Amino acid sequence: MTTVSWVFGYGSLMWDPGFHPVETAKARVSGYARSFCLRSTMYRGTEEAPGLVLGLDEQDGGTCAGLAMRIGAQDHAEVMAYLRARELSTDAYREAILPLRLDDGRRIEALAYVMRRDHWQYAGGLALSEQARIIARACGGRGPNCDYLFNTARHLAEIGLADDELERLSSDVRRLMAE
């Protein structure tokens, strides 16, 4: 794979990257959508009761806003090893080099972790109500599934990239948790 100095975060990498980027910029990628399409059996669920986490899912006409984070040259090998251990632990994602447009107009290429639809953990196409039911109840090694959703929705809103679908999902999950 070509060496790239940017990585695209669309979920927890935005608010918990695990490394210190030397530059961060709001960015958009076309042809993909952020969705709760990955069954989580380690971090936000268990094998007996999987949770759901975000994946970058290919979608005709789709667009996904997130953060492009530039990796310092001196940290590149260490950061890549970390990201691969974190994101490829079950091979549900594949690494892809995608063209991004930064908010300042620059066009760059960035490493992104894209959902593999042929993987057993793929859960694309679930109704929002089903996603909410799963997320409201699931808990894994990194805590409650709802925390992942709430942190991502809050972070997107804080950086000016509010996601209406995640906001609706958050409301549904809060309602279910209150019942």
Side-chain angles (χ1 to χ4, degrees), residues 34-37 52 54 123-137 149 163-176:
R34 170 185 19 254
S35 69
F36 276 93
C37 63
L52 289 173
L54 292 166
L126 293 177
L128 209 61
S129 59
E130 179 65 9
Q131 292 175 42
R133 186 190 65 73
I134 292 168
I135 292 169
R137 294 182 176 97
L149 165 63
D163 183 308
D164 292 339
E165 186 168 305
L166 291 190
E167 293 297 333
R168 281 193 306 277
L169 185 57
S170 294
S171 293
D172 289 352
V173 168
R174 284 186 175 95
R175 180 184 46 76
L176 287 170

Side-chain angles (χ1 to χ4, degrees), residues 30 55 61 92-94 96 99 129-130 132 139 143 148 150 158 161-162 167 177:
S30 297
Y93 295 127
R94 65 178 172 82
S129 59
E130 179 65 9
C139 188
Y148 175 91
F150 300 154
E158 286 172 355
L161 298 174
E167 293 297 333
M177 292 172 64

Side-chain angles (χ1 to χ4, degrees), residues 53-172:
V53 293
L54 292 166
L56 191 60
D57 203 7
E58 287 187 70
Q59 182 183 78
D60 287 339
T63 185
C64 179
L67 290 179
M69 297 168 279
R70 190 162 58 87
I71 303 165
Q74 70 282 3
D75 300 324
H76 194 270
E78 181 182 336
V79 169
M80 290 305 301
Y82 164 76
L83 288 172
R84 287 178 173 139
R86 172 180 169 162
E87 301 296 326
L88 300 177
S89 62
T90 66
D91 292 322
Y93 295 127
R94 65 178 172 82
E95 289 185 332
I97 306 298
L98 301 179
L100 302 183
R101 179 189 256 299
L102 304 184
D103 269 13
D104 64 11
R106 285 181 289 169
R107 293 180 183 272
I108 63 163
E109 289 190 334
L111 173 68
Y113 290 94
V114 175
M115 189 66 215
R116 286 186 42 218
R117 288 185 169 192
D118 63 340
H119 196 273
W120 68 269
Q121 287 177 274
Y122 181 67
L126 293 177
L128 209 61
S129 59
E130 179 65 9
Q131 292 175 42
R133 186 190 65 73
I134 292 168
I135 292 169
R137 294 182 176 97
C139 188
R142 297 212 48 201
N145 201 169
C146 63
D147 288 354
Y148 175 91
L149 165 63
F150 300 154
N151 284 337
T152 304
R154 183 180 65 250
H155 188 79
L156 284 165
E158 286 172 355
I159 63 172
L161 298 174
D163 183 308
D164 292 339
E165 186 168 305
L166 291 190
E167 293 297 333
R168 281 193 306 277
L169 185 57
S170 294
S171 293
D172 289 352

Side-chain angles (χ1 to χ4, degrees), residues 5-6 19-25 68-75 79:
S5 58
W6 291 87
F19 68 97
H20 298 288
V22 295
E23 181 181 359
T24 301
M69 297 168 279
R70 190 162 58 87
I71 303 165
Q74 70 282 3
D75 300 324
V79 169

